[in-house]
Short mmCIF file of all heavy atoms in Angstrom, two decimals:
data_model
loop_
_atom_site.label_atom_id
_atom_site.label_comp_id
_atom_site.label_asym_id
_atom_site.label_seq_id
_atom_site.Cartn_x
_atom_site.Cartn_y
_atom_site.Cartn_z
N MET W 16 92.54 101.96 79.36
CA MET W 16 92.50 101.82 80.80
C MET W 16 92.25 103.20 81.40
O MET W 16 92.78 104.20 80.94
CB MET W 16 93.81 101.22 81.31
CG MET W 16 93.91 101.16 82.81
SD MET W 16 95.27 100.20 83.50
CE MET W 16 96.70 100.77 82.64
N SER W 17 91.46 103.21 82.45
CA SER W 17 91.15 104.49 83.09
C SER W 17 92.36 105.03 83.83
O SER W 17 93.30 104.30 84.17
CB SER W 17 89.99 104.31 84.08
OG SER W 17 90.42 103.59 85.22
N ALA W 18 92.33 106.32 84.08
CA ALA W 18 93.42 106.96 84.82
C ALA W 18 93.53 106.36 86.22
O ALA W 18 94.64 106.20 86.75
CB ALA W 18 93.20 108.46 84.88
N TYR W 19 92.39 106.03 86.83
CA TYR W 19 92.41 105.43 88.17
C TYR W 19 93.14 104.09 88.17
O TYR W 19 94.00 103.84 89.01
CB TYR W 19 90.99 105.26 88.70
CG TYR W 19 90.96 104.56 90.03
CD1 TYR W 19 91.43 105.19 91.18
CD2 TYR W 19 90.49 103.27 90.14
CE1 TYR W 19 91.43 104.55 92.41
CE2 TYR W 19 90.48 102.61 91.36
CZ TYR W 19 90.95 103.26 92.49
OH TYR W 19 90.95 102.62 93.70
N LEU W 20 92.81 103.22 87.22
CA LEU W 20 93.48 101.91 87.16
C LEU W 20 94.96 102.06 86.83
O LEU W 20 95.79 101.29 87.31
CB LEU W 20 92.79 100.99 86.17
CG LEU W 20 91.41 100.49 86.59
CD1 LEU W 20 90.82 99.58 85.52
CD2 LEU W 20 91.48 99.75 87.92
N GLN W 21 95.30 103.03 86.03
CA GLN W 21 96.70 103.28 85.73
C GLN W 21 97.45 103.68 87.00
O GLN W 21 98.56 103.24 87.26
CB GLN W 21 96.85 104.35 84.66
CG GLN W 21 98.27 104.53 84.19
CD GLN W 21 98.36 105.42 82.97
OE1 GLN W 21 97.35 105.95 82.47
NE2 GLN W 21 99.56 105.59 82.47
N THR W 22 96.81 104.50 87.84
CA THR W 22 97.39 104.89 89.13
C THR W 22 97.55 103.68 90.04
O THR W 22 98.57 103.53 90.71
CB THR W 22 96.51 105.97 89.80
OG1 THR W 22 96.44 107.10 88.94
CG2 THR W 22 97.09 106.38 91.14
N VAL W 23 96.54 102.81 90.06
CA VAL W 23 96.63 101.58 90.86
C VAL W 23 97.81 100.75 90.42
O VAL W 23 98.63 100.31 91.24
CB VAL W 23 95.31 100.77 90.75
CG1 VAL W 23 95.49 99.37 91.34
CG2 VAL W 23 94.17 101.50 91.43
N GLU W 24 97.94 100.53 89.12
CA GLU W 24 99.07 99.76 88.60
C GLU W 24 100.40 100.39 89.01
O GLU W 24 101.32 99.70 89.47
CB GLU W 24 99.00 99.65 87.08
CG GLU W 24 100.20 98.93 86.48
CD GLU W 24 100.20 98.92 84.97
OE1 GLU W 24 99.19 99.28 84.34
OE2 GLU W 24 101.25 98.55 84.42
N GLU W 25 100.52 101.69 88.87
CA GLU W 25 101.76 102.38 89.21
C GLU W 25 102.10 102.23 90.69
O GLU W 25 103.26 101.99 91.05
CB GLU W 25 101.66 103.85 88.82
CG GLU W 25 101.66 104.09 87.33
CD GLU W 25 101.28 105.50 86.94
OE1 GLU W 25 101.01 106.34 87.84
OE2 GLU W 25 101.24 105.78 85.72
N LYS W 26 101.10 102.36 91.56
CA LYS W 26 101.35 102.24 93.00
C LYS W 26 101.75 100.82 93.39
O LYS W 26 102.65 100.62 94.20
CB LYS W 26 100.12 102.70 93.78
CG LYS W 26 99.92 104.19 93.73
CD LYS W 26 98.75 104.64 94.55
CE LYS W 26 98.64 106.16 94.51
NZ LYS W 26 97.58 106.65 95.40
N VAL W 27 101.08 99.82 92.83
CA VAL W 27 101.42 98.43 93.14
C VAL W 27 102.82 98.11 92.64
O VAL W 27 103.63 97.52 93.35
CB VAL W 27 100.37 97.46 92.56
CG1 VAL W 27 100.83 96.01 92.67
CG2 VAL W 27 99.03 97.64 93.25
N ARG W 28 103.12 98.51 91.42
CA ARG W 28 104.45 98.22 90.87
C ARG W 28 105.54 99.01 91.57
O ARG W 28 106.67 98.55 91.69
CB ARG W 28 104.45 98.45 89.37
CG ARG W 28 103.57 97.39 88.67
CD ARG W 28 103.64 97.50 87.20
NE ARG W 28 105.00 97.29 86.76
CZ ARG W 28 105.42 96.22 86.11
NH1 ARG W 28 104.60 95.26 85.83
NH2 ARG W 28 106.67 96.12 85.72
N ALA W 29 105.20 100.20 92.09
CA ALA W 29 106.19 100.98 92.84
C ALA W 29 106.59 100.25 94.12
O ALA W 29 107.76 100.27 94.52
CB ALA W 29 105.64 102.36 93.17
N ARG W 30 105.63 99.59 94.74
CA ARG W 30 105.93 98.88 95.99
C ARG W 30 106.52 97.49 95.73
O ARG W 30 107.43 97.07 96.42
CB ARG W 30 104.68 98.73 96.84
CG ARG W 30 105.00 97.88 98.06
CD ARG W 30 104.15 98.02 99.26
NE ARG W 30 103.70 99.33 99.57
CZ ARG W 30 102.63 99.57 100.31
NH1 ARG W 30 101.93 98.57 100.79
NH2 ARG W 30 102.26 100.79 100.56
N PHE W 31 105.98 96.76 94.75
CA PHE W 31 106.37 95.36 94.57
C PHE W 31 107.27 95.13 93.37
O PHE W 31 107.75 94.02 93.15
CB PHE W 31 105.12 94.48 94.49
CG PHE W 31 104.32 94.51 95.76
CD1 PHE W 31 103.22 95.34 95.88
CD2 PHE W 31 104.68 93.74 96.84
CE1 PHE W 31 102.48 95.40 97.05
CE2 PHE W 31 103.96 93.77 98.01
CZ PHE W 31 102.85 94.62 98.12
N GLY W 32 107.50 96.16 92.58
CA GLY W 32 108.43 96.08 91.47
C GLY W 32 108.02 95.11 90.39
O GLY W 32 106.84 94.87 90.16
N ASP W 33 109.01 94.55 89.75
CA ASP W 33 108.78 93.65 88.62
C ASP W 33 108.24 92.29 89.03
O ASP W 33 107.91 91.47 88.18
CB ASP W 33 110.08 93.46 87.83
CG ASP W 33 110.49 94.73 87.11
OD1 ASP W 33 109.60 95.56 86.83
OD2 ASP W 33 111.69 94.90 86.84
N ALA W 34 108.12 92.03 90.33
CA ALA W 34 107.54 90.77 90.79
C ALA W 34 106.07 90.68 90.39
O ALA W 34 105.54 89.59 90.21
CB ALA W 34 107.68 90.63 92.30
N VAL W 35 105.41 91.82 90.24
CA VAL W 35 104.00 91.87 89.85
C VAL W 35 103.94 92.25 88.38
O VAL W 35 104.40 93.31 87.98
CB VAL W 35 103.21 92.88 90.70
CG1 VAL W 35 101.79 93.00 90.19
CG2 VAL W 35 103.24 92.48 92.16
N ALA W 36 103.37 91.36 87.58
CA ALA W 36 103.19 91.64 86.15
C ALA W 36 101.81 92.24 85.96
O ALA W 36 100.83 91.82 86.58
CB ALA W 36 103.32 90.35 85.35
N ALA W 37 101.71 93.24 85.12
CA ALA W 37 100.45 93.91 84.86
C ALA W 37 100.17 93.92 83.36
O ALA W 37 101.07 94.06 82.55
CB ALA W 37 100.47 95.33 85.40
N SER W 38 98.89 93.74 83.03
CA SER W 38 98.47 93.84 81.64
C SER W 38 97.05 94.38 81.62
O SER W 38 96.33 94.31 82.62
CB SER W 38 98.55 92.49 80.94
OG SER W 38 97.65 91.57 81.53
N THR W 39 96.66 94.91 80.48
CA THR W 39 95.29 95.39 80.32
C THR W 39 94.70 94.80 79.06
O THR W 39 95.40 94.54 78.07
CB THR W 39 95.23 96.93 80.22
OG1 THR W 39 96.03 97.36 79.13
CG2 THR W 39 95.69 97.58 81.49
N PHE W 40 93.42 94.57 79.11
CA PHE W 40 92.66 94.08 77.96
C PHE W 40 91.26 94.65 78.07
O PHE W 40 90.60 94.46 79.11
CB PHE W 40 92.64 92.56 77.93
CG PHE W 40 91.88 91.99 76.77
CD1 PHE W 40 92.39 92.08 75.49
CD2 PHE W 40 90.66 91.38 76.96
CE1 PHE W 40 91.69 91.56 74.41
CE2 PHE W 40 89.95 90.85 75.90
CZ PHE W 40 90.47 90.94 74.61
N ARG W 41 90.84 95.36 77.04
CA ARG W 41 89.51 95.97 77.01
C ARG W 41 89.23 96.80 78.25
O ARG W 41 88.14 96.76 78.82
CB ARG W 41 88.44 94.91 76.82
CG ARG W 41 88.52 94.22 75.48
CD ARG W 41 87.40 93.27 75.26
NE ARG W 41 87.55 92.64 73.96
CZ ARG W 41 86.79 91.65 73.52
NH1 ARG W 41 85.82 91.19 74.28
NH2 ARG W 41 87.01 91.13 72.35
N GLY W 42 90.24 97.53 78.69
CA GLY W 42 90.08 98.43 79.82
C GLY W 42 90.15 97.77 81.18
O GLY W 42 89.96 98.43 82.20
N GLU W 43 90.40 96.47 81.23
CA GLU W 43 90.47 95.75 82.50
C GLU W 43 91.93 95.51 82.87
O GLU W 43 92.71 95.00 82.06
CB GLU W 43 89.75 94.41 82.38
CG GLU W 43 89.75 93.60 83.65
CD GLU W 43 88.98 92.32 83.51
OE1 GLU W 43 87.75 92.37 83.39
OE2 GLU W 43 89.63 91.25 83.50
N LEU W 44 92.29 95.85 84.09
CA LEU W 44 93.65 95.66 84.58
C LEU W 44 93.77 94.28 85.21
O LEU W 44 92.94 93.88 86.02
CB LEU W 44 93.98 96.73 85.63
CG LEU W 44 95.31 96.58 86.37
CD1 LEU W 44 96.49 96.69 85.41
CD2 LEU W 44 95.40 97.61 87.49
N THR W 45 94.80 93.55 84.83
CA THR W 45 95.10 92.24 85.42
C THR W 45 96.47 92.31 86.05
O THR W 45 97.43 92.74 85.42
CB THR W 45 95.08 91.14 84.34
OG1 THR W 45 93.77 91.08 83.76
CG2 THR W 45 95.44 89.79 84.93
N LEU W 46 96.55 91.88 87.30
CA LEU W 46 97.83 91.79 88.01
C LEU W 46 98.14 90.33 88.24
O LEU W 46 97.31 89.58 88.75
CB LEU W 46 97.75 92.52 89.35
CG LEU W 46 97.42 94.00 89.32
CD1 LEU W 46 97.26 94.54 90.73
CD2 LEU W 46 98.49 94.77 88.58
N VAL W 47 99.34 89.92 87.89
CA VAL W 47 99.81 88.57 88.16
C VAL W 47 100.82 88.68 89.29
O VAL W 47 101.86 89.32 89.14
CB VAL W 47 100.44 87.92 86.90
CG1 VAL W 47 100.94 86.53 87.21
CG2 VAL W 47 99.42 87.90 85.75
N VAL W 48 100.47 88.05 90.41
CA VAL W 48 101.21 88.23 91.66
C VAL W 48 101.81 86.91 92.11
O VAL W 48 101.11 85.90 92.16
CB VAL W 48 100.25 88.76 92.76
CG1 VAL W 48 100.96 88.95 94.07
CG2 VAL W 48 99.58 90.05 92.31
N PRO W 49 103.10 86.89 92.46
CA PRO W 49 103.69 85.67 93.01
C PRO W 49 102.96 85.26 94.29
O PRO W 49 102.54 86.13 95.07
CB PRO W 49 105.14 86.04 93.32
CG PRO W 49 105.41 87.27 92.53
CD PRO W 49 104.08 87.97 92.39
N ARG W 50 102.79 83.98 94.50
CA ARG W 50 101.99 83.52 95.64
C ARG W 50 102.53 84.00 96.98
O ARG W 50 101.77 84.24 97.90
CB ARG W 50 101.84 82.00 95.63
CG ARG W 50 103.12 81.26 95.86
CD ARG W 50 102.88 79.78 95.83
NE ARG W 50 104.14 79.07 95.90
CZ ARG W 50 104.25 77.79 95.74
NH1 ARG W 50 103.19 77.06 95.51
NH2 ARG W 50 105.43 77.22 95.81
N ASP W 51 103.85 84.17 97.09
CA ASP W 51 104.40 84.60 98.38
C ASP W 51 104.14 86.09 98.65
O ASP W 51 104.35 86.56 99.77
CB ASP W 51 105.89 84.29 98.46
CG ASP W 51 106.72 85.00 97.41
OD1 ASP W 51 106.20 85.22 96.30
OD2 ASP W 51 107.88 85.33 97.69
N GLN W 52 103.63 86.82 97.67
CA GLN W 52 103.31 88.23 97.86
C GLN W 52 101.82 88.52 97.72
O GLN W 52 101.39 89.66 97.83
CB GLN W 52 104.11 89.09 96.88
CG GLN W 52 105.59 89.06 97.15
CD GLN W 52 106.34 90.02 96.26
OE1 GLN W 52 106.03 90.14 95.09
NE2 GLN W 52 107.33 90.69 96.83
N LEU W 53 101.03 87.49 97.51
CA LEU W 53 99.61 87.67 97.26
C LEU W 53 98.91 88.40 98.41
O LEU W 53 98.17 89.35 98.20
CB LEU W 53 98.93 86.33 97.00
CG LEU W 53 97.43 86.38 96.74
CD1 LEU W 53 97.13 87.23 95.52
CD2 LEU W 53 96.88 84.99 96.58
N LEU W 54 99.13 87.98 99.64
CA LEU W 54 98.47 88.63 100.77
C LEU W 54 98.90 90.08 100.92
O LEU W 54 98.07 90.95 101.21
CB LEU W 54 98.73 87.86 102.06
CG LEU W 54 97.99 86.54 102.19
CD1 LEU W 54 98.38 85.83 103.48
CD2 LEU W 54 96.49 86.74 102.12
N ASP W 55 100.18 90.35 100.73
CA ASP W 55 100.66 91.73 100.83
C ASP W 55 100.02 92.63 99.78
O ASP W 55 99.61 93.75 100.06
CB ASP W 55 102.18 91.79 100.72
CG ASP W 55 102.89 91.14 101.90
OD1 ASP W 55 102.31 91.13 103.00
OD2 ASP W 55 104.01 90.64 101.70
N VAL W 56 99.94 92.13 98.54
CA VAL W 56 99.32 92.92 97.47
C VAL W 56 97.82 93.10 97.75
O VAL W 56 97.29 94.20 97.63
CB VAL W 56 99.56 92.27 96.09
CG1 VAL W 56 98.74 92.97 95.01
CG2 VAL W 56 101.04 92.29 95.73
N ALA W 57 97.15 92.03 98.16
CA ALA W 57 95.71 92.12 98.44
C ALA W 57 95.44 93.10 99.59
O ALA W 57 94.49 93.89 99.53
CB ALA W 57 95.16 90.74 98.77
N ARG W 58 96.27 93.06 100.61
CA ARG W 58 96.09 94.00 101.73
C ARG W 58 96.31 95.44 101.28
O ARG W 58 95.60 96.35 101.71
CB ARG W 58 97.02 93.63 102.87
CG ARG W 58 96.56 92.42 103.64
CD ARG W 58 97.43 92.14 104.85
NE ARG W 58 96.95 90.97 105.53
CZ ARG W 58 97.65 89.86 105.72
NH1 ARG W 58 98.90 89.77 105.29
NH2 ARG W 58 97.13 88.84 106.35
N MET W 59 97.30 95.65 100.43
CA MET W 59 97.54 97.01 99.92
C MET W 59 96.33 97.49 99.12
O MET W 59 95.87 98.62 99.29
CB MET W 59 98.78 97.04 99.04
CG MET W 59 99.04 98.40 98.43
SD MET W 59 100.33 98.34 97.20
CE MET W 59 100.38 100.05 96.70
N LEU W 60 95.82 96.62 98.25
CA LEU W 60 94.66 97.00 97.45
C LEU W 60 93.46 97.33 98.33
O LEU W 60 92.75 98.30 98.09
CB LEU W 60 94.30 95.88 96.46
CG LEU W 60 95.30 95.66 95.33
CD1 LEU W 60 94.95 94.38 94.58
CD2 LEU W 60 95.33 96.84 94.39
N ARG W 61 93.26 96.56 99.40
CA ARG W 61 92.14 96.79 100.29
C ARG W 61 92.36 98.01 101.18
O ARG W 61 91.53 98.92 101.23
CB ARG W 61 91.90 95.56 101.17
CG ARG W 61 90.73 95.71 102.12
CD ARG W 61 90.70 94.63 103.17
NE ARG W 61 91.87 94.77 104.03
CZ ARG W 61 92.28 93.81 104.86
NH1 ARG W 61 91.65 92.68 104.94
NH2 ARG W 61 93.35 94.01 105.61
N ASP W 62 93.48 98.04 101.87
CA ASP W 62 93.69 99.04 102.92
C ASP W 62 94.09 100.41 102.38
O ASP W 62 93.71 101.43 102.96
CB ASP W 62 94.77 98.56 103.89
CG ASP W 62 94.37 97.29 104.63
OD1 ASP W 62 93.16 96.97 104.66
OD2 ASP W 62 95.27 96.61 105.15
N GLU W 63 94.84 100.45 101.31
CA GLU W 63 95.37 101.72 100.82
C GLU W 63 94.66 102.24 99.58
O GLU W 63 94.65 103.45 99.34
CB GLU W 63 96.87 101.59 100.53
CG GLU W 63 97.68 101.26 101.76
CD GLU W 63 99.15 101.03 101.46
OE1 GLU W 63 99.66 101.64 100.49
OE2 GLU W 63 99.78 100.22 102.18
N LEU W 64 94.08 101.33 98.79
CA LEU W 64 93.50 101.76 97.52
C LEU W 64 91.99 101.57 97.46
O LEU W 64 91.38 101.84 96.43
CB LEU W 64 94.20 101.04 96.37
CG LEU W 64 95.71 101.31 96.28
CD1 LEU W 64 96.36 100.43 95.23
CD2 LEU W 64 95.98 102.77 96.00
N GLY W 65 91.38 101.07 98.54
CA GLY W 65 89.93 101.03 98.63
C GLY W 65 89.22 99.88 97.93
O GLY W 65 88.00 99.92 97.80
N PHE W 66 89.93 98.87 97.50
CA PHE W 66 89.27 97.72 96.87
C PHE W 66 88.62 96.86 97.96
O PHE W 66 89.20 96.61 99.01
CB PHE W 66 90.28 96.88 96.08
CG PHE W 66 90.69 97.52 94.77
CD1 PHE W 66 91.59 98.55 94.75
CD2 PHE W 66 90.14 97.07 93.58
CE1 PHE W 66 91.97 99.15 93.55
CE2 PHE W 66 90.51 97.66 92.38
CZ PHE W 66 91.43 98.70 92.37
N ASP W 67 87.40 96.37 97.68
CA ASP W 67 86.72 95.54 98.67
C ASP W 67 86.08 94.29 98.07
O ASP W 67 85.21 93.67 98.68
CB ASP W 67 85.68 96.36 99.43
CG ASP W 67 84.59 96.91 98.53
OD1 ASP W 67 84.61 96.65 97.31
OD2 ASP W 67 83.70 97.60 99.06
N PHE W 68 86.51 93.92 96.85
CA PHE W 68 85.92 92.76 96.19
C PHE W 68 86.98 92.09 95.32
O PHE W 68 87.58 92.75 94.46
CB PHE W 68 84.73 93.19 95.33
CG PHE W 68 84.05 92.06 94.62
CD1 PHE W 68 83.16 91.24 95.28
CD2 PHE W 68 84.31 91.83 93.28
CE1 PHE W 68 82.54 90.19 94.62
CE2 PHE W 68 83.69 90.79 92.61
CZ PHE W 68 82.80 89.98 93.28
N LEU W 69 87.22 90.81 95.54
CA LEU W 69 88.15 90.03 94.72
C LEU W 69 87.33 89.34 93.63
O LEU W 69 86.46 88.51 93.94
CB LEU W 69 88.89 89.00 95.56
CG LEU W 69 89.84 88.08 94.82
CD1 LEU W 69 90.97 88.87 94.16
CD2 LEU W 69 90.41 87.04 95.76
N ALA W 70 87.57 89.68 92.39
CA ALA W 70 86.77 89.14 91.29
C ALA W 70 87.29 87.80 90.79
O ALA W 70 86.50 86.96 90.38
CB ALA W 70 86.74 90.14 90.13
N ASP W 71 88.59 87.58 90.81
CA ASP W 71 89.16 86.37 90.24
C ASP W 71 90.42 85.99 90.96
O ASP W 71 91.25 86.85 91.27
CB ASP W 71 89.52 86.59 88.77
CG ASP W 71 88.70 85.79 87.82
OD1 ASP W 71 88.18 84.73 88.20
OD2 ASP W 71 88.57 86.22 86.66
N LEU W 72 90.57 84.71 91.21
CA LEU W 72 91.81 84.16 91.74
C LEU W 72 91.98 82.82 91.06
O LEU W 72 91.09 81.97 91.14
CB LEU W 72 91.74 84.00 93.26
CG LEU W 72 92.97 83.44 93.95
CD1 LEU W 72 94.15 84.39 93.80
CD2 LEU W 72 92.68 83.23 95.42
N THR W 73 93.08 82.64 90.35
CA THR W 73 93.26 81.40 89.59
C THR W 73 94.58 80.74 89.94
O THR W 73 95.47 81.36 90.53
CB THR W 73 93.22 81.67 88.07
OG1 THR W 73 94.32 82.51 87.72
CG2 THR W 73 91.92 82.31 87.66
N ALA W 74 94.68 79.48 89.57
CA ALA W 74 95.90 78.70 89.77
C ALA W 74 95.90 77.56 88.76
O ALA W 74 94.91 77.30 88.09
CB ALA W 74 95.96 78.15 91.19
N VAL W 75 97.02 76.87 88.68
CA VAL W 75 97.15 75.69 87.84
C VAL W 75 97.48 74.51 88.73
O VAL W 75 98.34 74.60 89.61
CB VAL W 75 98.27 75.88 86.77
CG1 VAL W 75 98.44 74.61 85.95
CG2 VAL W 75 97.96 77.07 85.89
N ASP W 76 96.80 73.40 88.53
CA ASP W 76 97.04 72.17 89.28
C ASP W 76 97.74 71.17 88.36
O ASP W 76 97.16 70.72 87.38
CB ASP W 76 95.72 71.60 89.78
CG ASP W 76 95.88 70.38 90.67
OD1 ASP W 76 97.02 69.89 90.82
OD2 ASP W 76 94.86 69.93 91.21
N TYR W 77 98.98 70.83 88.66
CA TYR W 77 99.77 69.92 87.83
C TYR W 77 99.66 68.47 88.28
O TYR W 77 100.52 67.66 87.95
CB TYR W 77 101.24 70.36 87.81
CG TYR W 77 101.46 71.65 87.05
CD1 TYR W 77 101.84 72.80 87.71
CD2 TYR W 77 101.29 71.70 85.67
CE1 TYR W 77 102.04 73.99 87.01
CE2 TYR W 77 101.49 72.88 84.98
CZ TYR W 77 101.87 74.01 85.65
OH TYR W 77 102.06 75.18 84.96
N TRP W 78 98.63 68.12 89.04
CA TRP W 78 98.43 66.77 89.52
C TRP W 78 98.25 65.80 88.37
O TRP W 78 97.62 66.15 87.39
CB TRP W 78 97.21 66.72 90.44
CG TRP W 78 96.99 65.39 91.06
CD1 TRP W 78 97.58 64.91 92.17
CD2 TRP W 78 96.12 64.38 90.61
NE1 TRP W 78 97.14 63.66 92.44
CE2 TRP W 78 96.23 63.29 91.48
CE3 TRP W 78 95.26 64.25 89.52
CZ2 TRP W 78 95.52 62.13 91.33
CZ3 TRP W 78 94.55 63.09 89.37
CH2 TRP W 78 94.69 62.04 90.26
N PRO W 79 98.78 64.62 88.39
CA PRO W 79 99.58 64.00 89.45
C PRO W 79 101.08 64.13 89.24
O PRO W 79 101.86 63.75 90.09
CB PRO W 79 99.16 62.54 89.38
CG PRO W 79 98.93 62.31 87.92
CD PRO W 79 98.36 63.61 87.40
N GLU W 80 101.51 64.67 88.10
CA GLU W 80 102.94 64.65 87.79
C GLU W 80 103.74 65.80 88.40
O GLU W 80 104.87 65.62 88.78
CB GLU W 80 103.17 64.67 86.26
CG GLU W 80 102.70 63.44 85.56
CD GLU W 80 101.22 63.52 85.16
OE1 GLU W 80 100.68 64.64 85.10
OE2 GLU W 80 100.64 62.48 84.91
N GLY W 81 103.19 66.98 88.42
CA GLY W 81 103.98 68.16 88.71
C GLY W 81 104.35 68.38 90.17
O GLY W 81 103.59 68.06 91.07
N GLN W 82 105.53 68.92 90.36
CA GLN W 82 105.98 69.34 91.68
C GLN W 82 106.68 70.69 91.52
O GLN W 82 107.58 70.79 90.70
CB GLN W 82 106.96 68.34 92.29
CG GLN W 82 106.32 67.06 92.74
CD GLN W 82 105.26 67.29 93.81
OE1 GLN W 82 105.39 68.15 94.66
NE2 GLN W 82 104.19 66.52 93.74
N PRO W 83 106.28 71.73 92.16
CA PRO W 83 105.15 71.72 93.09
C PRO W 83 103.84 71.54 92.35
O PRO W 83 103.72 71.87 91.17
CB PRO W 83 105.22 73.08 93.75
CG PRO W 83 105.92 73.95 92.78
CD PRO W 83 106.87 73.05 92.04
N ARG W 84 102.87 70.98 93.05
CA ARG W 84 101.60 70.64 92.42
C ARG W 84 100.86 71.87 91.92
O ARG W 84 100.34 71.89 90.81
CB ARG W 84 100.75 69.87 93.42
CG ARG W 84 99.41 69.51 92.85
CD ARG W 84 98.58 68.69 93.80
NE ARG W 84 97.23 68.59 93.28
CZ ARG W 84 96.26 67.95 93.88
NH1 ARG W 84 96.47 67.35 95.02
NH2 ARG W 84 95.07 67.90 93.35
N PHE W 85 100.79 72.90 92.74
CA PHE W 85 100.02 74.09 92.39
C PHE W 85 100.95 75.22 91.96
O PHE W 85 102.01 75.41 92.53
CB PHE W 85 99.16 74.55 93.56
CG PHE W 85 98.12 73.57 93.95
CD1 PHE W 85 98.27 72.78 95.07
CD2 PHE W 85 96.98 73.41 93.18
CE1 PHE W 85 97.30 71.86 95.43
CE2 PHE W 85 96.00 72.48 93.52
CZ PHE W 85 96.16 71.71 94.66
N HIS W 86 100.52 75.94 90.95
CA HIS W 86 101.28 77.10 90.47
C HIS W 86 100.32 78.25 90.29
O HIS W 86 99.23 78.09 89.82
CB HIS W 86 101.95 76.75 89.15
CG HIS W 86 102.70 77.89 88.55
ND1 HIS W 86 103.94 78.27 89.00
CD2 HIS W 86 102.39 78.73 87.55
CE1 HIS W 86 104.36 79.30 88.29
NE2 HIS W 86 103.43 79.61 87.40
#
């Protein structure tokens, strides 16, 4: 992972703590963010760290059995 992405991870985790899980694979940083903090993390990435493109956003749909339906 690049030094820049390592700094990004450190800054996000400093603000949001263990609620945000981070992992790297082949030099790519992945952040797993609780849905109730998604907007706050996205705004921080945009406003403070200069990110301007969301590459991936995923969820799980447990329809028809699961409650809550989306995770």
Side-chain angles (χ1 to χ4, degrees):
M16 174 168 50
S17 72
Y19 176 70
L20 290 180
Q21 187 170 2
T22 300
V23 168
E24 176 185 349
E25 290 168 0
K26 288 182 177 185
V27 170
R28 292 185 61 109
R30 175 157 323 157
F31 297 97
D33 292 335
V35 175
S38 64
T39 58
F40 180 71
R41 295 185 181 173
E43 181 178 291
L44 173 63
T45 299
L46 301 175
V47 179
V48 179
R50 66 180 173 188
D51 61 328
Q52 294 186 320
L53 180 60
L54 288 177
D55 293 331
V56 172
R58 285 185 181 119
M59 177 190 180
L60 291 170
R61 181 192 65 195
D62 298 341
E63 298 176 30
L64 300 173
F66 285 78
D67 62 1
F68 180 79
L69 177 62
D71 246 335
L72 181 64
T73 63
V75 177
D76 185 354
Y77 290 112
W78 184 83
E80 294 87 19
Q82 288 300 325
R84 179 177 170 180
F85 296 104
H86 178 77

